[in-house]
Amino acid sequence: MSLYLVLNIASFIVPFVYSFEKKMRFIKWWKSVFLSIFLVAFFFLVWDVIFTKMGVWGFNIAYHVNFTILGLPLEEILFFICIPYASIFTHYAVGYFYPNLQLSKNVTNYITIILFLISAIVLIFNTNKWYTFINLLVFAGLLVYAFITKNAILQKFYITFLVILIPFFIVNGILTGSFIHDEVVWYNDNENLGIRLFTIPIEDAFYAFSMLFANLILIEKFKKVFN
């Protein structure tokens, strides 16, 4: 079994099992959750295919099964299901067990404005770096959407994302070469800022934020339809 596949399964299995927990019963939201995951995954997979063909990043065959779709290993496709599910479950679990854990609207707005300004400045000076530019463009766009629509999700998500970053650094650290020889996923540093958090390109944190926040936006909308 490939290392990449093991990481996907290990990330998914515990949240999946606890989804049947009697008090929280996360399974009652499965229609909304999985529809959201598949829709967001489609967007990110198209992005993934294009960037793989451009050489922005690539995959080490030593760590994945010898089966690809449009240049992406099977594990890379599963990544956009397993990791979002585990992260989304964490977000709602924290919210369930700590219902009052959230930022005020004013603090949330200040953080959103500061993050937008930082991303806008980085964007302006890095239009020639594909991963940095597209990544922060999506990130900034989602922040603008949240600010204009007065979306309340960020009041909790700014906190839960810090919790999610703990397993994120472990899994993504291994994928980018921490604790192993070579890396599972390699990055072309000509297309990013070249700043690493351990072995992880700093852009990956913004990438994860955008992917998960987009999921949460859709889930909350779908909940109103299915429940």
Side-chain angles (χ1 to χ4, degrees):
M1 187 179 293
S2 78
L3 175 61
Y4 200 173
L5 186 57
V6 169
L7 288 172
N8 276 325
I9 294 173
S11 300
F12 178 79
I13 193 65
V14 174
F16 176 78
V17 170
Y18 274 94
S19 296
F20 297 89
E21 193 269 340
K22 291 183 179 179
K23 292 182 180 179
M24 183 180 171
R25 283 194 59 80
F26 189 65
I27 58 171
K28 67 185 176 184
W29 307 121
W30 268 8
K31 285 183 181 179
S32 301
V33 170
F34 280 108
L35 178 57
S36 168
I37 287 175
F38 289 135
L39 289 174
V40 174
F42 178 79
F43 170 80
F44 277 85
L45 283 168
V46 170
W47 178 355
D48 206 344
V49 169
I50 294 172
F51 271 24
T52 300
K53 290 184 180 298
M54 291 173 59
V56 175
W57 54 52
F59 309 93
N60 187 341
I61 194 170
Y63 291 114
H64 66 77
V65 297
N66 191 23
F67 178 79
T68 62
I69 299 175
L70 298 177
L72 301 183
L74 174 64
E75 294 91 334
E76 178 72 356
I77 296 170
L78 292 176
F79 175 91
F80 291 99
I81 299 172
C82 297
I83 301 305
Y85 185 87
S87 301
I88 291 164
F89 174 84
T90 300
H91 169 81
Y92 283 108
V94 172
Y96 179 81
F97 291 105
Y98 301 95
N100 297 321
L101 185 64
Q102 66 178 37
L103 301 173
S104 68
K105 291 182 180 179
N106 285 338
V107 171
T108 301
N109 286 338
Y110 289 141
I111 294 174
T112 300
I113 291 169
I114 290 170
L115 288 175
F116 173 78
L117 291 175
I118 291 173
S119 58
I121 291 170
V122 175
L123 273 171
I124 291 170
F125 291 101
N126 291 278
T127 56
N128 62 326
K129 297 180 184 296
W130 277 107
Y131 186 32
T132 303
F133 182 77
I134 299 299
N135 194 354
L136 290 182
L137 187 64
V138 173
F139 176 75
L142 286 170
L143 292 182
V144 170
Y145 168 82
F147 189 82
I148 292 175
T149 60
K150 296 179 172 56
N151 192 291
I153 295 173
L154 287 178
Q155 289 180 248
K156 288 183 179 293
F157 186 54
Y158 278 141
I159 298 174
T160 58
F161 185 66
L162 296 178
V163 178
I164 293 166
L165 280 177
I166 298 171
F168 164 81
F169 276 117
I170 296 172
V171 173
N172 215 34
I174 295 173
L175 289 176
T176 54
S178 297
F179 317 115
I180 62 174
H181 175 69
D182 215 347
E183 62 264 278
V184 180
V185 182
W186 56 262
Y187 288 80
N188 178 357
D189 283 343
N190 291 322
E191 302 295 351
N192 60 56
L193 293 174
I195 301 172
R196 301 263 175 160
L197 303 172
F198 302 103
T199 55
I200 305 167
I202 193 170
E203 287 89 346
D204 276 13
F206 296 92
Y207 186 91
F209 185 99
S210 297
M211 179 171 61
L212 298 178
F213 184 41
N215 268 293
L216 294 177
I217 291 171
L218 291 180
I219 288 169
E220 292 304 315
K221 290 184 179 298
F222 292 147
K223 276 184 179 181
K224 298 174 182 177
V225 175
F226 295 124
N227 299 283

